[in-house]
């Protein structure tokens, strides 16, 4: 499950080649990257399946929930049943369970393991309305992202996320890496807030360094026959190097004056520490 982190696609061609060699199914996690492209292809169309999020901070929001897309009907049937209690009467072409389907004492309902992950109809209606405005909603974040890009332009110690030439960036958030040897993450954050900046976000601690894993997460499933992974620092050194340096700035400003003000504050703080 490769993640389009901060809405830029991973190198999907290389990932799909690895998957082909090892007979793996690839599920793209594109929660933050709707409408983006990778080498001219719509993100979400390269892997075998792709997931998108409608959580409240995303480009399109229904409050919670999301969607999965695939062009493989077998996978689509499995996904539909997984999110609908494993019911036999649903599939890629039928999502709603009717009373006529299940009001039969001889009916075998559950053909596979499943959960009640169905999106509420109200949330689905909101998501459809958001979909009608997708170009407008995404473009505003792109425009705000470009404001922040201008604010950090020319600074060699506050480095924005690079968008490869063969990809597009819809700026779910604006991301930069602090490389100033004399300024800590917290000092920069505090200065930004003191000058009127909105709350900024850090990159979450790497999953395997969270207490659940670091303190020893037991694997008890009888099908598990592998070697237990020792989750300790050093497992992913590049990620461990970058994670403490990352700043995330929100881009969902619908008042343009507010967006300009935040970019100006960032510009001011960079000059203050330069």
């Amino acid at each position: 499950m490769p993640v389009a982190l901060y809405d830029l696609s991973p190198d999907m061609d290389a990932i799909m080649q690895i998957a082909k060699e090892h007979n793996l199914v690839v599920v793209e996690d594109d929660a933050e990257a709707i409408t983006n492209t990778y080498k001219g292809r719509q993100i979400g169309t390269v892997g075998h399946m792709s997931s998108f999020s409608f959580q409240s901070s995303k480009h399109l929001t229904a409050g919670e929930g999301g969607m999965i897309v695939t062009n493989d009907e077998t996978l689509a049937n499995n996904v539909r049943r997984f999110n609908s209690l494993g019911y036999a009467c649903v599939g890629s072409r039928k999502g709603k369970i009717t009373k006529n389907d299940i009001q039969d004492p001889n009916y075998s309902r559950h053909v596979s393991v499943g959960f009640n992950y169905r999106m509420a109809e109200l949330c689905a209606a909101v998501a459809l309305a958001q979909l009608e405005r997708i170009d407008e909603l995404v473009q505003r974040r792109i425009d705000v992202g470009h404001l922040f890009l201008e604010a950090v332009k020319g600074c060699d110690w506050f480095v924005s996320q690079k968008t490869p030439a063969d990809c597009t960036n819809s700026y779910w958030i604006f991301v930069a890496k602090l490389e100033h040897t004399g300024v800590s993450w917290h000092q920069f954050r505090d200065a930004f807030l003191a000058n009127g900046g909105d709350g900024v976000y850090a990159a979450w601690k790497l999953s395997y360094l969270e207490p659940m894993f670091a303190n020893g997460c037991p694997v008890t499933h009888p099908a598990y026959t592998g070697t237990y992974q020792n989750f300790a620092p050093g497992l992913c050194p590049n990620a461990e190097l970058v994670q403490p340096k990352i700043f995330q700035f929100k881009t969902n400003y619908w008042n343009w004056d507010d967006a300009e003000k935040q970019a100006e504050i960032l510009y001011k703080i960079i000059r203050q520490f330069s």
Side-chain angles (χ1 to χ4, degrees), residues 57-121:
S57 72
K58 301 303 188 292
H59 293 85
L60 306 186
T61 178
E64 278 295 350
M67 67 178 179
I68 294 179
V69 299
T70 180
N71 60 0
D72 183 312
E73 188 149 14
T74 298
L75 292 177
N77 286 329
N78 290 342
V79 168
R80 178 76 78 181
R81 290 174 182 143
F82 184 76
N83 92 325
S84 299
L85 304 170
Y87 273 124
C89 54
V90 299
S92 64
R93 301 177 189 275
K94 182 182 179 183
K96 191 172 180 63
I97 301 168
T98 67
K99 290 183 178 179
N100 288 336
D101 291 324
I102 60 177
Q103 287 181 343
D104 182 337
N106 297 316
Y107 180 64
S108 298
R109 294 175 294 169
H110 305 291
V111 296
S112 59
V113 173
F115 299 88
N116 188 8
Y117 289 162
R118 293 166 290 188
M119 181 184 287
E121 291 180 351

Side-chain angles (χ1 to χ4, degrees), residues 6-242:
Y6 307 138
D7 73 21
L8 277 180
S9 177
D11 188 356
M12 290 303 300
D13 284 346
I15 290 170
M16 296 306 294
Q17 182 60 38
I18 293 170
K20 182 178 180 181
E21 292 172 2
H22 296 278
N23 193 31
L24 301 174
V25 173
V26 176
V27 182
E28 294 182 51
D29 179 349
D30 296 325
E32 303 169 359
I34 200 164
T35 76
N36 279 5
T37 59
Y38 167 77
K39 296 185 176 180
R41 289 168 284 177
Q42 185 71 44
I43 199 167
T45 65
V46 184
H48 300 100
M49 291 188 289
S50 304
S51 65
F52 294 89
S53 172
F54 299 142
Q55 181 264 346
S56 60
S57 72
K58 301 303 188 292
H59 293 85
L60 306 186
T61 178
E64 278 295 350
M67 67 178 179
I68 294 179
V69 299
T70 180
N71 60 0
D72 183 312
E73 188 149 14
T74 298
L75 292 177
N77 286 329
N78 290 342
V79 168
R80 178 76 78 181
R81 290 174 182 143
F82 184 76
N83 92 325
S84 299
L85 304 170
Y87 273 124
C89 54
V90 299
S92 64
R93 301 177 189 275
K94 182 182 179 183
K96 191 172 180 63
I97 301 168
T98 67
K99 290 183 178 179
N100 288 336
D101 291 324
I102 60 177
Q103 287 181 343
D104 182 337
N106 297 316
Y107 180 64
S108 298
R109 294 175 294 169
H110 305 291
V111 296
S112 59
V113 173
F115 299 88
N116 188 8
Y117 289 162
R118 293 166 290 188
M119 181 184 287
E121 291 180 351
L122 179 59
C123 291
V126 173
L128 285 171
Q130 293 263 296
L131 190 61
E132 294 176 0
R133 300 176 58 209
I134 187 170
D135 292 338
E136 171 194 355
L137 297 174
V138 171
Q139 188 60 50
R140 170 48 64 101
R141 292 190 187 239
I142 293 173
D143 292 342
V144 174
H146 288 165
L147 276 181
F148 283 114
L149 272 178
E150 282 298 312
V152 305
K153 189 175 181 180
C155 181
D156 60 0
W157 54 264
F158 200 71
V159 184
S160 62
Q161 181 188 32
K162 180 181 178 181
T163 301
D166 54 8
C167 294
T168 59
N169 191 333
S170 57
Y171 289 97
W172 171 64
I173 54 175
F174 177 79
V175 182
K177 181 176 61 170
L178 178 66
E179 293 282 12
H180 197 308
T181 57
V183 180
S184 71
W185 189 96
H186 292 90
Q187 286 174 323
F188 193 95
R189 187 274 311 272
D190 291 347
F192 184 73
L193 295 179
N195 281 272
D198 282 347
V200 294
Y201 300 88
W204 290 347
K205 183 178 290 188
L206 303 181
S207 297
Y208 63 87
L209 295 179
E210 295 283 4
M212 185 186 76
F213 292 102
N215 295 339
C217 180
V219 179
T220 58
H221 195 283
Y224 180 76
T225 58
T227 301
Y228 178 71
Q229 174 66 55
N230 179 26
F231 294 108
L235 186 62
C236 298
N238 288 333
E240 292 173 25
L241 177 68
V242 171

